Amino acid sequence: MNHSEVKRKVEQWGRWELTLEGPSEGNPFQEVTFGARFQFKNRVVEADGFYDGEGKYRIRFMPDRTGAWSYVTRSNCPQLHGLSGEFNCVGPSKGNHGPVRVNLRFGFVYEDGKRYLPFGTTCYHWTHDMDEQLEELTLQTLQTSPFNKIRMCLLPTRDMCPPAIAFAGTCPEDVDRTRFNPSFFRHLERRLDDLQRLGIEADLVLFHPYDKGHWGFDGMSWEEDTFYLKYVISRLAAYRNVWWSLSNEYDFNKNKTVDDWDRLIQYVRRNDPYEHLRSIHNGTKMYKSSMLYDFNKPWITHQSIQHWDPELTTDWRAACPKPVVIDEISYEGNSSRRWGNISGQELTHRFWEAMSRGGSVGHGESFNGMATRAWISTGGVLYGEAVERIAFLRRFMEEGPADWIQAKQDGTYGLYYFGRRQPVYYTLELSEDQRYKLEFIDTWNMTIEHMEGTCSGKARIRLPGKPYFALRVTIA
Amino acid sequence: MNHSEVKRKVEQWGRWELTLEGPSEGNPFQEVTFGARFQFKNRVVEADGFYDGEGKYRIRFMPDRTGAWSYVTRSNCPQLHGLSGEFNCVGPSKGNHGPVRVNLRFGFVYEDGKRYLPFGTTCYHWTHDMDEQLEELTLQTLQTSPFNKIRMCLLPTRDMCPPAIAFAGTCPEDVDRTRFNPSFFRHLERRLDDLQRLGIEADLVLFHPYDKGHWGFDGMSWEEDTFYLKYVISRLAAYRNVWWSLSNEYDFNKNKTVDDWDRLIQYVRRNDPYEHLRSIHNGTKMYKSSMLYDFNKPWITHQSIQHWDPELTTDWRAACPKPVVIDEISYEGNSSRRWGNISGQELTHRFWEAMSRGGSVGHGESFNGMATRAWISTGGVLYGEAVERIAFLRRFMEEGPADWIQAKQDGTYGLYYFGRRQPVYYTLELSEDQRYKLEFIDTWNMTIEHMEGTCSGKARIRLPGKPYFALRVTIA
């Protein structure tokens, strides 16, 4: 065997990798097929390998069972074909809970059963400039932030001139869509590992409409699109913290129809051996909720929504039995752009409003005139007032049940958020068979005040009569 | 002639009145027809009179032209028939600008040409308890308030037990729908005159769904409904400050269809000699804007809307070329009811948001636990934080052009409201041929800051970067 590198041991949901030497002449990205068949007892998983340049062929695999796995490679290149071996999958290390899955119709859970409640943020192109110092700063910021998911793009925008892109070439004139740039991916992969160490899911945005023909990546053929997707999946699917977001603001891309997106999402599903979470994100033209992508389609795992109105969470839950993630709800900031200038109070309010209705919200920040550029584009430092409130909300929500809407129906927990309303009385309809304790939450000042005593049955509660308050009801 | 009382002189848009003695036996409300034909040169106006109890028959008339008017009565009672006379109409006194009309597609104007910009409030039943002290207190509050319109109901709700109602009788058991209670109306009319003195339009709500069969006024027959409307119009149409709101939350009344309302509104139109403003107000079930009453119907003069979202003003203007008045947008207060507990900041925000889009908003307050009961029900005292901000907004708007949306298009005036957004820069696209001055308005703290210098053409403006700010652009 000409295995140049191979892992003999891997942890569950870790990344096993095998490197082989093979041909470098011609265009190996297009000409060489390469993959492997992995087997655990009777369980068989097929995965694609990829060409990593300089005659190196790699295959990655994320095993989901502990014990002995075997593999055998396949290739149209005899040198890479029919190589077999074994490796041992051991239990996951601390902090490794596996990939995130959908659970409870409206919730998420890591594969090991630990609850996952998304508190996402957005840094679309934080890895593209390959600015080590800035990326380290972003990671530091993330480490102390409440965020456990980040939305990030693979492809550059019209305005960018990055040192490397996913495809070969560095500018629209010399871009070669028949080849990829392995160094772009190696850099990205290092950052995916950094995110994984921080417990952050990478919601990878595979396409976006901000190219407008400049690079041409928004108007590629089916063959080019799937060539790109296949390569991305072969490199990145073995990262357990990866999610697939087929496109950002897909409806702004005039080169593709909903049918095209459907086909591409199904292609990703077929090619991803691990069934990572999959969705697609609408643009502002789809603000009317009835025009959102039909998330009931079976290849969609969760609802990835752009809308400014968190109250519609209730409608979206009713329309589709999949988790609601409002990935863009307007960003805190002082930008001149409509999407990037709501106040921290307003963003905090939208988080509470959506969560109290059973959804999740994505954060973003777009402050101009600061030491670092807009967080949503390049990461860096966070300046807003919402972040610490989101951290408070996350701690608050994690103290509660995984399905707080169901728990409210069952009478075991209640979250009542009053938003811009300021009633002095609220009538709770609680079970007669339980005693409940109450807490008043000032969502802006981040205080929790315990009410003396307990209550039961129909109870008229005196509230502080100020806006941005919530009431938590738990069994005493 | 047996004229017992007659005015020989009346001012334009004032109220001329003639009182005659007639039969009091039987049921004069039903049995005696009475009216008059008024003539000014070739102009002829027919108006109904009414029975005011104790053998008194009155007819009221609001002349719209100065000079000599003649009249001749008609009745099925010979005693009241064929009486004629003349009176002189002189110019209006100070503060009398005539009834409010629709102007400029989206605006209002008094008949004398003075601009009218609605700043309404709501006191549904402030006259029903006939509590002199409380009513005087309400009038005092109104006098120092910014409000120039008040929504008020003619019929009692299920929960009320007032000393008098529009119909004969005082409780559901003895109510007589074939007779009216003149003393109820005389009391009401005194208050309409009080409002007129304060420059306040009375937006009279003729029906409402809060009866629920208790009094039965929400489920009367066509004959009963029109008998009531005819009497109301004959008494009140000559008050120049009256508007007709056919129903509050009409869609909550299960006894009537949209067709029924259409017929009733058309009945009011036919019977009102003066074409007072006419609309109908939806309930919460019509919150989806597409389900609002079709205000394009020709008998509707303006859009009387209940909706919590002021941003929809733009849509409503696009859907129908009639003024937008959001008479209920949620009330400031601390009520447990959803409609009555938004913060003063939120109500202020909704006023600015709707007005900057070319609509008007109605105010209301519902504070519990104060010295007086909820303002929206009984009037009294205002406790909220929005009122003084609405006064500031009214002064601000009255400094601007009558059609500020058109003026913005014409490049002669610009109102930009940023709401919960806080951009630090905003790019104005102004005319190159004008110099403009700019002012920054802090809508909550009620300050106006003038920017030094002037600008022209495309101008990038630095803003304070705080929420609830507006920018005013005027020709320098």
Side-chain angles (χ1 to χ4, degrees):
Chain A
M1 277 185 62
N2 63 347
H3 290 190
S4 66
E5 295 165 39
V6 60
K7 285 176 85 167
R8 296 289 172 202
K9 197 176 107 180
V10 65
E11 65 184 85
Q12 192 178 14
W13 308 303
R15 197 166 59 253
W16 177 86
E17 185 173 298
L18 165 71
T19 305
L20 301 176
E21 301 287 342
S24 57
E25 61 276 15
N27 183 348
F29 295 104
Q30 288 206 316
E31 293 158 15
V32 179
T33 63
F34 178 49
R37 184 173 187 273
F38 294 85
Q39 187 154 4
F40 172 84
K41 296 181 179 165
N42 291 325
R43 176 164 159 73
V44 172
V45 183
E46 293 279 350
D48 284 325
F50 60 93
Y51 181 59
D52 201 25
E54 296 166 356
K56 296 254 190 288
Y57 290 78
R58 299 188 204 275
I59 185 155
R60 292 172 177 165
F61 185 67
M62 179 181 81
D64 59 356
R65 311 282 166 90
T66 56
W69 286 78
S70 64
Y71 63 89
V72 55
T73 67
R74 54 173 166 76
S75 176
N76 61 357
C77 169
Q79 200 178 345
L80 303 170
H81 186 75
L83 303 168
S84 61
E86 286 198 355
F87 58 87
N88 187 34
C89 177
V90 299
S93 60
K94 189 166 177 295
N96 170 2
H97 304 284
V100 173
R101 307 298 188 189
V102 166
N103 189 34
L104 295 165
R105 293 174 80 227
F106 293 113
F108 295 99
V109 65
Y110 290 102
E111 196 162 311
D112 76 348
K114 183 182 153 77
R115 171 182 175 195
Y116 175 80
L117 193 53
F119 281 85
T121 188
T122 298
C123 298
Y124 284 128
H125 294 96
W126 74 283
T127 63
H128 287 241
D129 284 338
M130 297 192 172
D131 175 336
E132 281 293 317
Q133 209 177 342
L134 182 62
E135 290 175 13
E136 290 298 332
L137 184 61
T138 303
L139 288 166
Q140 272 175 39
T141 303
L142 285 170
Q143 184 162 19
T144 55
S145 84
F147 304 119
N148 59 11
K149 178 169 95 71
I150 188 167
R151 275 179 78 74
M152 48 194 285
C153 293
L154 261 66
L155 295 171
T157 69
R158 176 188 189 84
D159 304 320
M160 287 169 53
C161 196
I165 60 170
F167 290 94
T170 53
C171 61
E173 291 68 36
D174 71 2
V175 70
D176 179 357
R177 288 189 221 153
T178 70
R179 293 168 190 269
F180 298 98
N181 183 344
S183 72
F184 170 86
F185 280 96
R186 281 195 291 267
H187 176 81
L188 174 69
E189 287 155 4
R190 185 154 59 86
R191 294 315 181 193
L192 292 180
D193 273 333
D194 289 332
L195 292 173
Q196 196 174 94
R197 267 193 297 280
L198 298 178
I200 297 173
E201 301 293 301
D203 194 3
L204 297 177
V205 179
L206 300 171
F207 291 98
H208 63 67
Y210 320 120
D211 187 324
K212 305 207 171 165
H214 182 74
W215 299 93
F217 303 143
D218 56 344
M220 299 195 295
S221 67
W222 166 256
E223 289 68 28
E224 288 171 318
D225 284 340
T226 52
F227 178 59
Y228 159 70
L229 289 176
K230 191 181 174 75
Y231 190 74
V232 166
I233 293 167
S234 66
R235 291 198 72 118
L236 307 182
Y239 289 75
R240 66 173 172 271
N241 59 330
V242 156
W243 301 19
W244 308 122
S245 180
L246 256 286
S247 182
N248 216 41
E249 301 189 327
Y250 70 90
D251 43 317
F252 288 167
N253 186 333
K254 296 297 166 218
N255 301 307
K256 287 197 162 47
T257 65
V258 167
D259 282 350
D260 292 333
W261 292 117
D262 284 347
R263 287 208 302 158
L264 289 169
I265 302 171
Q266 291 176 76
Y267 180 88
V268 170
R269 183 185 204 177
R270 275 199 310 278
N271 278 266
D272 170 10
Y274 316 106
E275 291 264 0
H276 286 288
L277 294 173
R278 275 178 312 273
S279 196
I280 186 166
H281 185 76
N282 64 292
T284 48
K285 289 205 179 150
M286 308 305 251
Y287 265 177
K288 292 199 189 295
S289 59
S290 62
M291 292 172 68
L292 287 174
Y293 187 92
D294 181 4
F295 294 122
N296 283 296
K297 288 175 177 172
W299 44 85
I300 296 289
T301 55
H302 61 288
Q303 308 186 56
S304 172
I305 292 169
Q306 176 171 180
H307 202 292
W308 74 91
D309 185 356
E311 296 192 19
L312 292 175
T313 301
T314 306
D315 295 351
W316 296 320
R317 282 174 57 109
C320 175
K322 299 181 187 180
V324 170
V325 185
I326 312 171
D327 279 305
E328 185 172 344
I329 200 163
S330 300
Y331 304 128
E332 182 177 2
N334 62 13
S335 164
S336 304
R337 307 297 296 271
R338 187 159 176 83
W339 42 257
N341 58 26
I342 63 171
S343 67
Q345 189 164 66
E346 179 61 17
L347 184 57
T348 304
H349 163 69
R350 293 185 189 185
F351 264 79
W352 277 87
E353 185 72 54
M355 292 214 88
S356 68
R357 293 168 181 271
S360 311
V361 180
H363 162 271
E365 233 183 51
S366 182
F367 280 98
N368 295 329
M370 304 299 196
T372 53
R373 290 168 56 208
W375 171 261
I376 54 156
S377 299
T378 57
V381 174
L382 288 164
Y383 301 99
E385 297 182 293
V387 178
E388 59 175 317
R389 275 92 189 177
I390 295 167
F392 173 77
L393 171 61
R394 182 175 170 183
R395 290 191 300 274
F396 178 87
M397 292 305 298
E398 290 182 345
E399 287 171 18
D403 188 343
W404 59 97
I405 302 296
Q406 186 60 49
K408 196 171 185 175
Q409 285 166 21
D410 298 343
T412 56
Y413 177 88
L415 168 58
Y416 302 82
Y417 175 61
F418 299 98
R420 291 188 272 270
R421 302 188 176 277
Q422 49 182 17
V424 278
Y425 285 102
Y426 187 78
T427 301
L428 290 166
E429 308 261 3
L430 302 171
S431 164
E432 301 279 359
D433 306 328
Q434 289 283 0
R435 299 301 306 174
Y436 294 92
K437 61 180 179 176
L438 304 186
E439 290 153 301
F440 302 109
I441 296 94
D442 181 334
T443 67
W444 182 249
N445 294 308
M446 298 174 282
T447 59
I448 299 182
E449 186 198 336
H450 302 260
M451 195 184 79
E452 286 210 18
T454 62
C455 64
S456 190
K458 189 163 180 169
R460 189 155 178 260
I461 307 302
R462 187 168 177 95
L463 298 175
K466 293 185 207 161
Y468 305 118
F469 265 77
L471 174 63
R472 175 163 62 180
V473 181
T474 50
I475 289 173
Chain B
M1 277 183 65
N2 65 348
H3 290 189
S4 65
E5 296 165 38
V6 61
K7 286 174 85 167
R8 295 291 171 200
K9 198 176 106 179
V10 64
E11 65 182 86
Q12 193 179 11
W13 309 305
R15 198 165 60 253
W16 178 85
E17 186 171 298
L18 165 71
T19 306
L20 300 176
E21 301 288 340
S24 59
E25 62 276 17
N27 182 349
F29 295 104
Q30 288 206 315
E31 292 158 16
V32 179
T33 65
F34 178 49
R37 184 173 187 272
F38 294 85
Q39 188 155 3
F40 171 84
K41 295 179 180 166
N42 290 325
R43 176 164 161 73
V44 171
V45 183
E46 293 279 350
D48 284 327
F50 61 91
Y51 181 58
D52 201 23
E54 296 166 356
K56 296 252 191 285
Y57 291 79
R58 299 186 205 275
I59 185 154
R60 292 171 178 166
F61 184 67
M62 180 181 80
D64 59 356
R65 311 283 165 88
T66 56
W69 285 79
S70 64
Y71 63 89
V72 55
T73 68
R74 54 172 166 76
S75 176
N76 60 358
C77 169
Q79 202 180 343
L80 303 170
H81 186 75
L83 304 167
S84 62
E86 287 198 354
F87 58 89
N88 187 35
C89 178
V90 299
S93 58
K94 189 166 179 293
N96 171 3
H97 303 285
V100 173
R101 307 299 187 187
V102 166
N103 190 33
L104 298 164
R105 293 174 78 225
F106 292 114
F108 295 99
V109 66
Y110 289 102
E111 196 161 312
D112 76 347
K114 182 182 154 78
R115 171 182 177 194
Y116 175 81
L117 193 53
F119 281 85
T121 189
T122 298
C123 299
Y124 283 129
H125 294 97
W126 74 283
T127 63
H128 286 240
D129 285 338
M130 298 192 173
D131 176 336
E132 282 293 316
Q133 210 178 342
L134 181 61
E135 290 175 13
E136 290 297 332
L137 183 63
T138 304
L139 289 165
Q140 273 175 38
T141 303
L142 286 170
Q143 184 162 20
T144 55
S145 84
F147 304 119
N148 60 10
K149 179 169 94 71
I150 187 167
R151 275 179 77 76
M152 48 194 283
C153 293
L154 261 65
L155 294 171
T157 69
R158 178 188 188 82
D159 304 320
M160 288 168 54
C161 195
I165 59 170
F167 289 95
T170 53
C171 62
E173 291 69 35
D174 70 1
V175 70
D176 179 356
R177 289 188 220 152
T178 70
R179 294 168 190 269
F180 299 99
N181 184 344
S183 73
F184 169 85
F185 281 94
R186 281 194 291 266
H187 176 82
L188 173 68
E189 287 155 4
R190 186 153 61 87
R191 294 313 181 194
L192 292 180
D193 274 331
D194 289 333
L195 293 173
Q196 194 174 96
R197 267 193 297 280
L198 298 177
I200 296 173
E201 301 292 302
D203 194 2
L204 297 177
V205 179
L206 299 171
F207 291 99
H208 63 66
Y210 320 119
D211 187 324
K212 306 206 171 163
H214 183 72
W215 299 94
F217 303 143
D218 56 343
M220 298 195 294
S221 67
W222 167 257
E223 288 68 29
E224 289 171 318
D225 284 341
T226 52
F227 178 59
Y228 158 71
L229 290 175
K230 191 182 174 75
Y231 191 75
V232 166
I233 293 167
S234 67
R235 292 198 71 118
L236 307 182
Y239 289 75
R240 65 174 172 270
N241 60 329
V242 156
W243 300 20
W244 307 123
S245 179
L246 256 288
S247 182
N248 215 42
E249 302 190 326
Y250 70 91
D251 43 316
F252 288 168
N253 186 334
K254 298 296 168 219
N255 300 307
K256 287 197 161 46
T257 64
V258 168
D259 282 349
D260 292 332
W261 292 117
D262 283 348
R263 287 207 302 157
L264 289 170
I265 302 171
Q266 291 177 75
Y267 180 87
V268 169
R269 183 184 204 179
R270 277 198 309 277
N271 278 264
D272 169 11
Y274 316 107
E275 291 264 0
H276 286 287
L277 294 173
R278 275 178 312 274
S279 196
I280 186 165
H281 185 77
N282 64 292
T284 48
K285 290 205 178 149
M286 308 305 251
Y287 265 176
K288 293 202 188 291
S289 60
S290 62
M291 291 172 66
L292 286 175
Y293 187 92
D294 181 3
F295 294 121
N296 283 296
K297 288 176 178 172
W299 43 87
I300 296 289
T301 55
H302 61 287
Q303 309 187 55
S304 172
I305 293 169
Q306 175 169 181
H307 202 291
W308 74 90
D309 186 356
E311 296 193 19
L312 292 175
T313 301
T314 307
D315 295 351
W316 296 319
R317 282 175 57 109
C320 175
K322 299 181 188 181
V324 170
V325 185
I326 312 172
D327 279 305
E328 186 172 342
I329 201 163
S330 300
Y331 304 127
E332 181 177 1
N334 61 14
S335 165
S336 304
R337 308 298 295 272
R338 189 159 175 84
W339 41 256
N341 57 27
I342 62 171
S343 66
Q345 189 164 65
E346 179 62 17
L347 184 58
T348 304
H349 162 70
R350 294 184 188 185
F351 264 79
W352 277 88
E353 186 71 55
M355 292 213 89
S356 68
R357 292 168 182 272
S360 312
V361 180
H363 161 272
E365 234 185 47
S366 182
F367 280 99
N368 295 331
M370 303 300 195
T372 54
R373 290 168 56 206
W375 170 262
I376 55 155
S377 300
T378 58
V381 174
L382 288 164
Y383 301 100
E385 296 183 293
V387 177
E388 60 176 317
R389 276 90 187 178
I390 295 167
F392 173 76
L393 172 61
R394 181 174 171 184
R395 290 192 299 274
F396 177 87
M397 293 304 297
E398 289 182 345
E399 288 171 16
D403 189 341
W404 59 97
I405 302 297
Q406 186 61 50
K408 197 171 184 176
Q409 286 166 20
D410 298 342
T412 57
Y413 177 89
L415 168 58
Y416 302 83
Y417 175 61
F418 299 98
R420 292 190 270 271
R421 304 187 175 277
Q422 49 181 17
V424 278
Y425 285 103
Y426 187 78
T427 302
L428 290 166
E429 309 261 3
L430 302 170
S431 164
E432 301 279 359
D433 307 326
Q434 287 284 0
R435 300 301 307 174
Y436 294 92
K437 60 178 182 178
L438 304 185
E439 291 153 301
F440 303 110
I441 296 94
D442 181 333
T443 66
W444 182 250
N445 294 308
M446 298 174 284
T447 58
I448 300 182
E449 187 198 335
H450 302 261
M451 194 183 79
E452 285 209 22
T454 61
C455 64
S456 190
K458 190 164 178 169
R460 190 156 177 259
I461 307 301
R462 188 168 176 93
L463 298 175
K466 293 185 206 163
Y468 305 118
F469 265 76
L471 173 63
R472 175 163 62 180
V473 181
T474 50
I475 290 174

